[in-house]
C-alpha cells in the first residue's frame, strides 16, 4: 500500500509542478531533414543558427533525442498522436491523395486533445498526414491551417505535384519565399490568439528539397564553395530568421513565461543515395534519413519554458518525439487516459530534475519495413538499410554501445550474443502490439 501511495503521489507531482495560473501556450517547431551537425549549438561552423541555438540555450537540450521514424510522415504520425505509428499501420509515407492514405481516422491528434481543453490550434507549414478532405488538418484538430498537404513544396511561387499553398481549404496565392511566409503566418497567429492559450504547430519544410534559396541568402554564404551546401545554408538561415521572428513576438507580447516550446527535426539529414540529398551533415552520427542508424533517428531536440525549465541544461537519457504529446498535455493540465494508449511520457519532471525515476523509458523501439532498432540503456540493436554507406549486403542485426561508440562503428554482436538475444526479445515483445502497414513503402 505504501508503495502504491508513493507511486500515486509521484504520478500527481507533474501536474502540481506544471500547472500554473494560465494554461501555457504550446509552440511545436519542426524542421524537415535537418542534419544533426548543422546547428551552432551542435558545433556547426559554416552556418550560424543563433535563434535555434537560443532555444537550446534558454531551455533543455536533449542530447539523446529521437524521432520514431527516419522518414517524414511516419514521424509526424507518431509526433501528433503520441503513439508509435506502427501501432496503427502508419509505417511509411502515404501518397498525396486517397482516402486510405493518411493518418488513420481512428487516431486522435494532440491538436484534437488541446482543442478539447480550450486551446486555439493552428498548423503553419507542412502536413503530410493525408491529402484527402477527411484528413485535412482542420478535420484533425486544427482550427486554422496555412501551408500545404503533401511531403514537399517549392519555396518560390508555384505548385508541387498539383499542390498549392492553402489558407484553410482555399488557395492562398502566396508570393513570398515560403519559409518567410511561414514565419510571417506564425507571428500573425500569435498576434491573433495571444489572449488565450494556443497550440501552434510550426512545421517548416526547410531544409527539405527542392533546393531553393533567395538571392540575398546565397550572397550571405558566398564563401561556401560547395554549391548545394551554399543553398542549404541559405535555406537553414532563412528558417532560423523565421524562428527568431516568432520568438521575438513571444517576447514582445510577454508570453515567454507562458509558452512551452519544442524544437525537433522530423528525421536526420538525407546524405545517402536514394534520399532527397540536400547538403546536410550528421556527424558524428552515422547513417542518413531512411536508416535506423543514429543519423536517421537521433535529432536536435530542445524543450524550453522560461521560468519552468532550467536554462542551458543538457539531458542525456533517451527521449523520443512521442513524448511531446504527453508533455504538452501535462503542461495543459489534461489528464491522460489509459485508453488513449500513449507511448510517450511527460518529460516535464525529468527535464526539471524533479522526477525520482532515473529515466523516462526503459527502452525505445523502431520498425520501418525490414529495418528495426531497439535502444535499452546505452545498448542498441539495429538492422539498417543495406544501402547505407558501407553496409552493402543483407539486413543483419548489429549491436553497438552508444556510450563510447555514438558513430556505430564497432559491431559487438558476435562478442555479446546474450545482449543481442535480450534486445531482440524486447523488440519482439514490443512488436506484438504493432499492426501490418496500411499501405506499402518497400524499404522506405
Ligand atoms: Ca523529413
Amino acid at each position: 500500500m505504501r508503495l502504491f501511495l508513493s507511486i500515486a503521489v509521484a504520478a500527481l507531482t507533474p501536474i502540481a509542478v506544471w500547472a500554473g495560473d494560465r494554461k501555457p501556450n504550446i509552440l511545436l517547431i519542426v524542421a524537415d531533414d535537418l542534419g544533426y551537425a548543422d546547428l551552432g549549438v551542435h558545433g556547426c561552423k559554416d552556418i550560424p543558427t543563433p535563434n535555434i541555438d537560443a532555444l537550446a540555450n534558454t531551455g533543455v537540450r536533449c542530447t539523446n533525442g529521437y524521432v520514431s521514424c527516419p522518414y517524414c510522415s511516419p514521424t509526424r504520425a507518431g509526433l501528433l498522436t503520441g503513439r508509435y505509428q506502427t501501432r496503427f499501420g502508419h509505417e511509411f509515407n502515404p501518397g498525396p491523395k486517397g482516402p486510405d492514405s493518411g493518418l488513420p481516422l481512428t487516431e486522435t491528434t494532440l491538436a484534437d486533445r488541446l482543442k478539447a481543453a480550450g486551446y486555439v490550434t493552428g498548423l503553419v507549414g507542412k502536413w503530410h498526414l493525408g491529402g484527402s478532405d477527411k484528413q485535412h488538418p482542420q478535420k484533425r484538430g486544427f482550427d486554422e491551417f496555412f501551408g500545404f498537404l503533401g511531403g514537399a513544396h517549392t519555396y518560390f511561387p508555384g505548385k508541387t505535384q498539383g499542390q498549392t499553398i492553402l489558407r484553410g481549404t482555399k488557395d492562398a496565392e502566396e508570393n513570398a519565399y515560403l519559409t518567410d511566409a511561414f514565419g510571417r503566418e506564425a507571428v500573425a497567429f500569435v498576434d491573433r490568439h495571444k489572449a488565450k492559450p494556443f497550440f501552434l504547430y510550426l512545421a517548416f519544410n526547410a531544409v527539405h528539397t527542392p533546393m531553393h534559396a533567395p538571392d540575398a541568402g546565397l550572397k550571405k554564404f558566398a564563401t561556401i564553395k560547395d554549391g548545394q551546401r551554399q543553398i542549404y545554408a541559405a535555406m537553414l538561415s532563412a528558417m532560423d530568421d523565421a524562428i527568431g521572428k516568432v520568438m521575438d513576438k513571444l517576447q514582445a507580447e510577454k508570453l515567454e513565461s507562458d509558452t512551452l516550446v519544442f524544437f525537433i527535426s522530423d528525421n536526420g539529414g538525407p546524405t545517402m543515395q536514394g534520399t532527397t540529398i540536400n547538403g546536410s551533415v550528421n556527424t558524428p552520427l552515422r547513417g542518413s534519413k531512411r536508416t535506423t542508424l543514429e543519423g536517421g533517428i537521433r535529432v536536435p531536440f530542445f524543450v524550453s519554458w522560461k521560468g519552468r525549465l532550467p536554462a542551458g541544461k543538457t539531458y542525456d537519457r533517451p527521449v523520443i518525439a512521442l513524448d511531446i504529446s504527453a508533455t504538452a498535455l501535462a503542461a495543459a493540465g489534461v489528464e491522460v487516459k489509459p485508453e488513449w494508449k500513449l507511448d510517450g511520457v511527460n518529460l516535464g519532471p525529468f527535464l526539471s530534475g524533479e522526477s525520482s525515476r532515473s529515466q523516462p523509458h526503459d527502452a525505445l523501439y523502431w520498425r520501418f519495413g525490414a529495418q528495426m532498432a531497439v535502444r535499452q540503456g546505452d545498448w542498441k540493436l539495429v538492422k539498417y538499410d543495406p544501402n547505407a554507406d558501407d553496409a552493402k549486403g543483407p539486413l543483419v542485426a548489429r549491436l553497438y554501445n552508444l556510450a563510447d561508440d555514438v558513430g556505430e562503428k564497432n559491431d559487438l554482436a558476435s562478442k555479446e550474443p546474450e545482449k543481442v538475444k535480450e534486445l531482440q526479445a524486447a523488440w519482439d515483445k514490443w512488436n506484438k502490439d504493432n499492426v501490418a502497414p496500411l499501405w506499402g513503402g518497400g524499404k522506405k
Side-chain angles (χ1 to χ4, degrees):
M1 184 53 127
R2 180 173 292 172
L3 180 64
F4 172 78
L5 280 176
S6 67
I7 290 170
V9 169
L12 285 172
T13 305
I15 301 292
V17 167
W18 283 67
D21 300 338
R22 179 198 197 277
K23 288 181 178 184
N25 308 309
I26 311 289
L27 172 58
L28 171 53
I29 306 173
V30 177
D32 196 347
D33 287 12
L34 177 63
Y36 192 79
D38 295 328
L39 297 174
V41 73
H42 281 188
C44 182
K45 301 289 182 220
D46 58 345
I47 311 170
T49 53
N51 294 299
I52 301 173
D53 295 350
L55 280 180
N57 294 331
T58 58
V60 182
R61 180 162 69 89
C62 297
T63 54
N64 285 261
Y66 290 94
V67 283
S68 56
C69 186
Y71 232 55
C72 303
S73 180
T75 282
R76 290 156 203 268
L79 172 70
L80 285 193
T81 58
R83 284 156 50 73
Y84 283 110
Q85 64 281 352
T86 42
R87 303 292 197 215
F88 49 87
H90 200 124
E91 190 158 344
F92 304 110
N93 274 0
K97 286 276 180 189
D100 300 321
S101 184
L103 184 68
L105 299 173
T106 50
E107 298 306 307
T108 304
T109 69
L110 175 60
D112 289 319
R113 300 196 197 287
L114 289 173
K115 184 173 162 137
Y119 276 66
V120 178
T121 55
L123 163 58
V124 172
K126 163 170 160 173
W127 175 235
H128 208 190
L129 289 175
S132 73
D133 293 344
K134 285 189 292 190
Q135 285 149 333
H136 186 277
Q138 289 172 301
K139 300 271 177 65
R140 306 309 301 268
F142 291 97
D143 295 312
E144 299 184 13
F145 169 55
F146 178 89
F148 64 96
L149 297 174
H153 204 279
T154 55
Y155 290 83
F156 294 111
K159 293 185 179 182
T160 301
Q161 296 173 346
Q163 303 175 66
T164 186
I165 299 300
L166 300 173
R167 185 182 301 282
T169 54
K170 303 271 184 344
D171 186 342
E173 295 181 18
E174 182 59 53
N175 288 311
Y177 181 67
L178 194 53
T179 302
D180 297 344
F182 289 162
R184 180 198 72 214
E185 292 295 325
V187 169
F189 180 90
V190 172
D191 192 60
R192 279 196 299 283
H193 303 300
K194 60 195 172 197
K196 37 199 160 173
F198 61 76
F199 168 46
L200 175 57
Y201 174 33
L202 176 52
F204 291 98
N205 57 320
V207 280
H208 194 296
T209 55
M211 303 306 290
H212 294 168
D215 288 341
L218 292 174
K219 275 191 197 132
K220 185 173 164 189
F221 293 101
T223 55
I224 297 181
K225 295 303 172 204
D226 178 307
Q228 191 173 46
R229 179 81 178 167
Q230 182 193 8
I231 300 170
Y232 177 84
M235 291 168 73
L236 174 50
S237 187
M239 178 168 68
D240 188 78
D241 288 346
I243 290 170
K245 284 180 181 156
V246 179
M247 299 314 293
D248 286 349
K249 177 66 178 173
L250 292 178
Q251 187 178 33
E253 301 295 345
K254 300 189 167 44
L255 288 174
E256 289 171 303
S257 303
D258 289 319
T259 307
L260 170 60
V261 185
F262 300 91
F263 176 88
I264 61 166
S265 177
D266 69 336
N267 48 252
T271 57
M272 73 177 190
Q273 291 302 320
T275 60
T276 50
I277 290 175
N278 61 0
S280 54
V281 176
N282 293 320
T283 51
L285 309 181
R286 176 175 161 225
S288 162
K289 171 180 180 178
R290 216 181 75 185
T291 73
T292 47
L293 288 163
E294 295 291 283
I297 55 176
R298 192 190 296 214
V299 295
F301 195 125
F302 313 141
V303 189
S304 108
W305 187 1
K306 190 177 179 181
R308 297 298 183 99
L309 287 175
K313 184 183 157 185
T314 57
Y315 183 76
D316 70 357
R317 300 324 302 151
V319 301
I320 190 161
L322 308 177
D323 299 330
I324 289 173
S325 270
T327 307
L329 291 168
V334 176
E335 185 192 351
V336 172
K337 302 219 162 62
E339 59 265 32
W340 295 354
K341 295 185 174 171
L342 298 195
D343 291 303
V345 169
N346 172 19
L347 297 178
F350 293 95
L351 304 185
S352 65
E354 284 152 306
S355 177
S356 55
R357 288 166 55 198
S358 61
Q359 57 181 355
H361 299 275
D362 294 332
L364 295 176
Y365 304 94
W366 293 264
R367 188 180 88 180
F368 187 44
Q371 297 189 64
M372 60 75 76
V374 46
R375 177 165 177 184
Q376 199 171 63
D378 291 323
W379 290 102
K380 180 176 170 189
L381 185 74
V382 57
K383 292 178 192 167
Y384 52 81
D385 189 324
N387 293 315
D389 53 49
D390 58 339
K392 302 291 182 204
L395 284 153
V396 292
R398 327 245 178 168
L399 180 72
Y400 300 107
N401 190 314
L402 298 175
D404 53 12
D405 184 21
V406 75
E408 297 172 288
K409 293 190 173 86
N410 187 16
D411 177 14
L412 300 170
S414 59
K415 277 190 196 158
E416 302 274 359
E418 289 306 313
K419 188 54 77 176
V420 171
K421 271 189 208 161
E422 181 191 332
L423 290 179
Q424 184 67 53
W427 187 88
D428 290 344
K429 187 174 175 218
W430 168 79
N431 192 42
K432 284 195 179 114
D433 291 329
N434 290 327
V435 299
L438 286 170
W439 54 84
K443 65 188 178 201
K444 289 178 182 175

